[in-house]
Amino acid sequence: KLLWPFRGEVKLQLLNRRKNNNHIEYVVPFDESCDEESCQRVTNGLTSKSGISARVGEGSPQFIKHEDLAYKPDRGTEYLRDDSLFFRILKVTCLTKPKSAAHSQSEIQGSSSPVVAEFTMQQFSGLKASNEEWESEPFFSHEGGYKFILVVYANGKGSYKGRSVSVYAHLVKGENDSELPFPFRGRLVIQIINCIEDKHHAQIPIAINDTTDPDGICGARVSTWSLDNLINGRSYNGLGFPNFLRHEYLGFNEDSNTQYVNDDDELKIRVEKVDVYLR
């Protein structure tokens, strides 16, 4: 007998066609932060080659850049060949009971409160027009935990400038760092709040793990004496999503009953929870 909603992980690879290394690997979590429809039993979904599939799925919006698909002699990689991509499912981990942010090799220490922090980004339109970044106040992963800030680009960053709101999480030098293991490994669940009603928030988990941060740079301890990883009091290297929320979705949408920039020109951002993988 199967349990619903599904809770677990799917570990997959996009294969390098040149040699048996440098595959692109990603772990897709199915936990309480996911869209409810993506984890529930499928009764009325979309018709696909494999049958009826859920209308909503989980994954990564930036799995690989298009320019990295072609042959790269310096890296010895080629992911697109003969107009085809090869994917491999390495492992599917099913949990016997729901558990937030499952991690097959770790215990998990979560935040002590239902919501870790909430912030209001004022004068959103002005920040968007001037291409300025906005920094939140610092917050902790949990009591006695890691210290972070959010950095938000109202007009987007990189290739998404002028198209999307970009959101990144950066470690900050914290009061508890001497008692904590580094690099940080865990996940921050970030929401941009729908101001119309308490649902349909734009939500993405920012994972800082061995896959997204293989060199441990983004999760490294921030030291005031090291200028290599410090800028304006925070780690220079953050992780997040340049395409967190597209600009066309910011205003009122009657069909979905959503509005993310309110009538006072404010964008509200919530750190819904932080999961810390203890090693």
Side-chain angles (χ1 to χ4, degrees):
K1 185 177 180 180
L2 299 176
L3 298 177
W4 300 97
F6 170 74
R7 291 291 182 251
E9 295 178 338
V10 178
K11 188 176 184 179
L12 58 88
Q13 286 181 331
L14 172 61
L15 300 187
N16 177 15
R17 309 285 288 278
R18 283 279 164 174
K19 57 182 72 173
N20 192 29
N21 60 20
N22 293 329
H23 306 307
I24 304 296
E25 188 171 300
Y26 186 75
V27 176
V28 182
F30 288 82
D31 52 44
E32 281 92 341
S33 70
C34 295
D35 189 297
E36 182 178 354
E37 189 174 349
S38 70
C39 303
Q40 292 290 352
R41 182 176 181 178
V42 179
T43 56
N44 183 24
L46 300 173
T47 303
S48 65
K49 291 182 179 179
S50 57
I52 304 298
S53 63
R55 297 176 182 274
V56 178
E58 296 297 329
S60 170
Q62 50 181 4
F63 190 91
I64 184 173
K65 295 180 179 179
H66 287 163
E67 56 264 32
D68 293 332
L69 291 172
Y71 176 48
K72 303 290 183 183
D74 56 329
R75 306 179 195 170
T77 59
E78 183 181 18
Y79 300 101
L80 178 65
R81 180 188 287 183
D82 299 328
D83 202 29
S84 62
L85 299 173
F86 281 14
F87 288 90
R88 174 187 293 154
I89 305 298
L90 293 176
K91 183 179 181 182
V92 178
T93 302
C94 298
L95 301 180
T96 56
K97 59 181 179 179
K99 180 179 181 182
S100 174
H103 194 268
S104 58
Q105 298 178 346
S106 305
E107 297 178 16
I108 297 175
Q109 180 166 345
S111 56
S112 57
S113 59
V115 174
V116 178
E118 289 189 351
F119 307 104
T120 299
M121 187 176 178
Q122 298 178 326
Q123 299 178 333
F124 178 85
S125 298
L127 292 169
K128 179 172 175 285
S130 60
N131 288 314
E132 290 184 61
E133 67 177 47
W134 174 90
E135 287 187 7
S136 74
E137 292 295 317
F139 61 93
F140 288 92
S141 60
H142 58 282
E143 185 177 355
Y146 298 86
K147 194 173 185 179
F148 286 90
I149 62 167
L150 296 181
V151 180
V152 182
Y153 300 83
N155 198 39
K157 185 180 181 182
S159 61
Y160 287 96
K161 181 175 286 187
R163 300 162 55 193
S164 299
V165 178
S166 303
V167 181
Y168 294 83
H170 291 252
L171 277 166
V172 178
K173 180 176 173 61
E175 293 82 346
N176 311 306
D177 289 355
S178 61
E179 306 297 326
L180 298 170
F182 284 90
F184 168 82
R185 289 295 180 253
R187 190 183 63 157
L188 300 87
V189 179
I190 311 300
Q191 295 177 334
I192 295 180
I193 301 303
N194 174 20
C195 63
I196 300 295
E197 55 183 339
D198 191 21
K199 61 181 180 178
H200 301 311
H201 308 305
Q203 176 173 300
I204 295 182
I206 299 176
I208 305 177
N209 54 38
D210 292 343
T211 300
T212 62
D213 183 30
D215 298 322
I217 296 174
C218 298
R221 181 177 178 179
V222 179
S223 303
T224 54
W225 47 264
S226 174
L227 297 180
D228 292 337
N229 71 337
L230 192 69
I231 181 170
N232 297 333
R234 70 175 192 252
S235 172
Y236 181 79
N237 299 284
L239 277 175
F241 288 88
N243 190 28
F244 195 101
L245 182 62
R246 295 186 67 87
H247 288 160
E248 57 262 36
Y249 300 137
L250 292 172
F252 176 63
N253 186 311
E254 185 175 2
D255 293 335
S256 60
N257 199 34
T258 58
Q259 181 177 339
Y260 298 101
V261 176
N262 65 25
D263 295 339
D264 295 321
D265 198 28
E266 296 173 336
L267 188 79
K268 295 184 181 295
I269 302 171
R270 175 185 295 158
V271 183
E272 202 269 335
K273 67 175 177 177
V274 181
D275 292 319
V276 179
Y277 302 154
L278 300 181
R279 290 161 290 166

